[in-house]
Amino acid sequence: MISASPTLSDFRLERVDFVDLPGWAADDPSPLYEAMRACAAHIRNVKPYRKGSLGLEAMELADLFEQAAPVADASAARTFFEQRCTPFRILKHNDEQGFVTAFYEPEVDVSDVSEGLFTHPFYFRPDDLVDLDDSNRPADLDSGYMFGRQTPDGIVAYPDRGEIDRGCLDGRGLEIAFARSRIDVFFAHVQGAARLVYPDGRVRRITYAAKAGHPFSPIGKLLIDRGEIAREDISMQSIRAWLAEALVSNPAKVDEVLWHNKSYIFFREADVSDPDLGPIAAAKVPLIAGRSLAVDRSIHTFGYPFFIHAERLTHLDDGKPFARLMLALDTGSAIIGPARGDIFTGSGYHAGELAGTVRNDADFYILVPNAAAGRYAG
């Protein structure tokens, strides 16, 4: 069964002042301005972001962001938020601290065709994959299933990772490209985006389009439970190292571990004109390295600013505690809860090295436009 996200009865918002935000006075939020304007344009001209259970409105966010003129320095950027927003600390009723991990956009060597070592496909969304809601979800599928398979006899669960890896989508023309390593494909699924690098130097970007619908089951926890990797040593790097070694000694064991995570991701092409920009994720605007946060979409509304303070997360800021204003621009299957976030660290190998070891307690503050803050000030 898939665990439901916490309800408002499981957490509360505590109004604080900006001076209560550890590290706020040293932060420079100005890199957020381009994304703020992009979010406002999407809300006004394309489609407002869906409201999460916290009740924050996308239109109120657009009103705020449209007031943001380009700023010359960090102080002016902070002043913009100080004058127009009210910070609230997100507090769980069980007194547990929030938690952050990180993600990145990997680069994967690929080929247009399946040949030689290039045999592991990335797939477009299949045409028999349908979105589910309470109106069409079969009674035997948990409410967490947001996708299913349309058949002549009705909707059923879509094949899982193991079934797809064993070839159930072969021959349908869904292949985007072929990678040399199924491990690379798996981690691109976990990250939700990738830059595909072809032998002739071409670069193609793909991002999340849909998923098969099955719950995300972290293989790191499986390896810990089996005693393969010590809990204190778990990281993306240690998991990849274990998989690489097992691929040589016992490939079937690799399949068993990867197939433990039944969740499977389908992709679409992501045309980003500036290669220095991050991928376009769930909020439909490019991610900003170090300033974009994936959140629980069922609770939070995309675009809202979060100030994250993680005292023991120091390797992202040259030994200083992580303390930054970020925008909620993405989501993920493993990001569940009001004070749970995934930090985007950028693209390529170095970004992956930064992301792979982020597993830290953190304090979460959400900045609410003053016009809406009264609803939460009780």
Side-chain angles (χ1 to χ4, degrees), residues 19-82:
V19 295
D20 299 318
L21 276 54
W24 169 258
D27 189 34
D28 179 3
S30 60
L32 298 176
Y33 273 56
E34 185 173 344
M36 289 160 56
R37 289 190 291 271
C39 286
H42 182 84
I43 293 167
R44 297 290 193 201
N45 304 325
V46 182
K47 183 180 180 181
Y49 299 129
R50 187 178 72 201
K51 180 172 61 176
S53 62
L54 188 56
L56 292 170
E57 299 279 355
M59 287 301 182
E60 292 172 324
L61 185 71
D63 291 341
L64 169 69
F65 285 174
E66 285 171 346
Q67 300 174 47
V71 293
D73 56 39
S75 176
R78 291 194 301 271
T79 298
F80 172 85
F81 290 100
E82 290 167 355

Side-chain angles (χ1 to χ4, degrees), residues 203-207 268-275 277-280 284 286:
V203 177
R204 188 180 186 187
R205 301 178 80 172
I206 56 173
T207 192
R268 61 179 175 83
E269 290 194 70
D271 181 18
V272 179
S273 57
D274 185 347
L277 294 176
I280 294 176
K284 310 303 182 186

Side-chain angles (χ1 to χ4, degrees), residues 102-107 187 191 235-238 240 315-316 343-358:
F103 69 110
Y104 75 110
E105 183 186 35
E107 290 186 352
F187 279 98
Q191 305 305 321
S235 67
M236 183 185 71
Q237 288 88 337
S238 65
R240 289 195 71 126
H315 71 273
L316 298 185
I343 300 166
F344 177 65
T345 58
S347 304
Y349 176 81
H350 178 65
E353 290 296 292
L354 292 175
T357 54
V358 176

